[in-house]
Amino acid sequence: MLNVKNQQKIQLSNQEYQNYSKQIVLENIGIQGQKRLKNAKVLIIGAGGLGCPVMIYLAVSGIGNIGIIDADKIETSNLNRQILYNKNDVKNFKVISAEKKIKIINSNCIIIKHQYRLNTENSLEILSHYDIVIDATDNFKTRYIIDKICYQLHKIYIYGAVDQFEGQIAIFNYKNGVRYKNLYTPELLLENNNCNRHGIMGIATGYTGTLQAIETIKIVLGLNKKCKNFLLVYNIIKIKNEKRKIYLKRNKNNKINKLDLSNIIFESQLNTIKSNFIIIDLRKNFDFNRKHVKKSINIPIKKFQLNETIKFIEYFKKTNYLIIYCNTLERSLIASRFLNNTGILHYILHPIQ
């Protein structure tokens, strides 16, 4: 947790008073809050689409210690969303360019560069030096490492992920709260999957990274935590930009209910189902029309909350087993949570390779 003793020794310079004058006058921040920000040690794992807006807003807010871990070099294709960089940075290491840009934003910020990938060998030592860990990665293998080490070290884990126009964030391991593995259990075998396969808009990563930075600042300042024990899911191109909350509840023994893996089936099992069944394909119309499993109908996931969709599903479930499918298991799990909340029994068809 945050080191309160060190905070008492923190002093703000005259320049910092000027830089953060508009923040210091806020009731929820003040001088002590600004000192808390300067005293905080935050690790950002991944200096890409999510990591860039996180770094910018933490640095400009006055966070005093930022660690950056990334082994990649900047590519031209990164520039649409990795807003710290420009064409002159291409082929440079991200952590090197990021440090230079952050120092321009906040010269008092101490930057610790980790120019390598997080793994099982180095994770314990690295994470032990920070108060809060921000997940700005794009793969499940690294997230399971973050989850495990944050739990061992009692570190707060701020999760974010983006796919196309959809994003999600959550706070894990906060005050005995839920963990990442409670959302996507290791048994789902997601480690070899990558979350950034289908294209992405820079504004989507910018929005998600900004939300991660907001939650970080709220924790540092001790403000109300609104993302504890649920996953916040949203789509930036919906007309109303509606946000959905998927709660992870505790059972009677005060243990967090994990996802029910018993309802996940594989394609080979479809032929063994003797009763009638219908498959709801959650992908976009274009992907569905190109190729789909037999006995499938197309209901894109963005239409899942519509009352007409629920009435349609309830009608078909009377005479058919309901199976949902998407080419990404994480999206199927989101739809599954929604169906569970409405009391609709169903199966999940594991993504077909």
Side-chain angles (χ1 to χ4, degrees):
M1 294 296 289
L2 304 179
N3 194 323
V4 179
K5 291 183 179 180
N6 286 346
Q7 180 191 324
Q8 297 173 353
K9 302 177 183 179
I10 295 294
Q11 298 296 322
L12 300 177
S13 66
N14 291 334
Q15 184 62 52
E16 286 174 311
Y17 276 112
Q18 294 180 33
N19 291 346
Y20 307 118
S21 60
K22 296 298 183 182
Q23 294 177 187
I24 292 174
V25 297
L26 294 173
E27 182 180 354
N28 290 324
I29 299 182
I31 294 175
Q32 292 306 314
Q34 196 61 52
K35 288 183 177 181
R36 289 174 69 94
L37 292 171
K38 185 174 181 178
N39 187 47
K41 297 179 176 64
V42 179
L43 176 65
I44 302 168
I45 303 177
L50 292 176
C52 284
V54 171
M55 286 185 275
I56 289 172
Y57 278 108
L58 292 187
V60 81
S61 297
I63 293 292
N65 304 270
I66 296 177
I68 313 167
I69 182 166
D70 198 300
D72 294 339
K73 292 184 177 180
I74 300 164
E75 301 176 1
T76 302
S77 62
N78 299 150
L79 301 182
N80 81 310
R81 63 195 182 282
Q82 300 181 17
I83 55 177
L84 265 179
Y85 318 125
N86 56 51
K87 63 181 181 180
N88 296 323
D89 297 308
V90 173
K91 295 184 180 180
N92 293 335
F93 282 101
K94 292 182 180 180
V95 293
I96 302 296
S97 293
E99 180 190 31
K100 293 178 181 178
K101 304 296 174 66
I102 295 174
K103 278 294 186 180
I104 295 174
I105 296 172
N106 181 358
S107 59
N108 294 305
C109 183
I110 299 172
I111 308 297
I112 303 95
K113 302 188 299 296
H114 305 277
Q115 195 175 303
Y116 38 78
R117 300 189 189 283
L118 188 76
N119 56 46
T120 54
E121 286 74 30
N122 62 27
S123 54
L124 188 64
E125 180 181 357
I126 295 171
L127 270 62
S128 65
H129 296 290
Y130 298 91
D131 306 314
I132 298 172
V133 177
I134 300 179
D135 173 8
T137 64
D138 65 354
N139 69 88
F140 291 94
K141 183 176 181 179
T142 305
R143 286 173 182 158
Y144 288 127
I145 295 174
I146 298 171
D147 176 69
K148 179 181 178 181
I149 303 303
C150 282
Y151 180 73
Q152 289 181 3
L153 297 174
H154 305 288
K155 304 291 184 180
I156 300 170
Y157 170 8
I158 299 183
Y159 160 76
V162 177
D163 185 28
Q164 299 182 67
F165 294 100
E166 295 178 1
Q168 50 185 247
I169 68 166
I171 297 176
F172 296 125
N173 204 44
Y174 176 73
K175 290 187 176 180
N176 197 34
V178 298
R179 293 177 55 185
Y180 177 77
K181 74 171 189 177
N182 300 130
L183 177 64
Y184 298 123
T185 65
E187 293 89 339
L188 293 174
L189 303 178
L190 295 171
E191 287 194 1
N192 295 323
N193 291 330
N194 184 288
C195 308
N196 191 12
R197 300 181 297 266
H198 309 116
I200 201 161
M201 280 287 291
I203 195 170
T205 55
Y207 185 68
T208 305
T210 300
L211 291 178
Q212 288 180 284
I214 290 171
E215 294 303 322
T216 302
I217 291 170
K218 285 162 63 178
I219 290 171
V220 173
L221 295 175
L223 303 179
N224 183 33
K225 289 74 177 179
K226 294 184 178 179
C227 281
K228 182 186 175 184
N229 292 349
F230 69 81
L231 179 73
L232 181 66
V233 183
Y234 55 87
N235 189 309
I236 64 167
I237 61 172
K238 282 189 175 181
I239 295 176
K240 295 182 180 180
N241 193 19
E242 295 178 350
K243 297 181 178 68
R244 292 167 286 159
K245 293 180 180 179
I246 301 175
Y247 288 90
L248 294 173
K249 300 179 181 179
R250 296 175 179 273
N251 59 27
K252 294 180 180 179
N253 297 322
N254 201 35
K255 293 183 178 180
I256 299 165
N257 291 323
K258 294 183 179 181
L259 289 168
D260 182 8
L261 305 183
S262 62
N263 68 339
I264 297 180
I265 62 175
F266 292 82
E267 185 180 21
S268 59
Q269 295 175 269
L270 292 177
N271 295 330
T272 66
I273 300 177
K274 297 181 180 180
S275 304
N276 293 328
F277 67 87
I278 185 171
I279 300 174
I280 296 180
D281 193 315
L282 304 172
R283 298 175 299 161
K284 294 182 178 180
N285 300 126
F286 174 79
D287 295 321
F288 176 81
N289 293 331
R290 187 170 56 181
K291 185 179 180 181
H292 59 266
V293 183
K294 292 181 180 179
K295 296 187 178 182
S296 296
I297 60 173
N298 185 213
I299 303 179
I301 192 170
K302 65 181 181 180
K303 296 183 178 180
F304 239 63
Q305 290 193 55
L306 300 178
N307 290 331
E308 294 81 358
T309 301
I310 297 301
K311 291 178 181 178
F312 178 82
I313 292 174
E314 288 179 338
Y315 173 78
F316 271 94
K317 75 171 186 177
K318 295 177 182 178
T319 55
N320 297 271
Y321 278 100
L322 179 64
I323 302 172
I324 57 176
Y325 173 77
C326 190
N327 55 333
T328 61
L329 187 55
E330 57 269 26
R331 195 174 298 169
S332 294
L333 293 172
I334 291 173
S336 177
R337 292 247 182 220
F338 180 74
L339 291 178
N340 285 335
N341 290 339
T342 57
I344 297 177
L345 299 177
H346 60 281
Y347 292 94
I348 296 175
L349 179 59
H350 198 279
I352 300 171
Q353 302 300 326

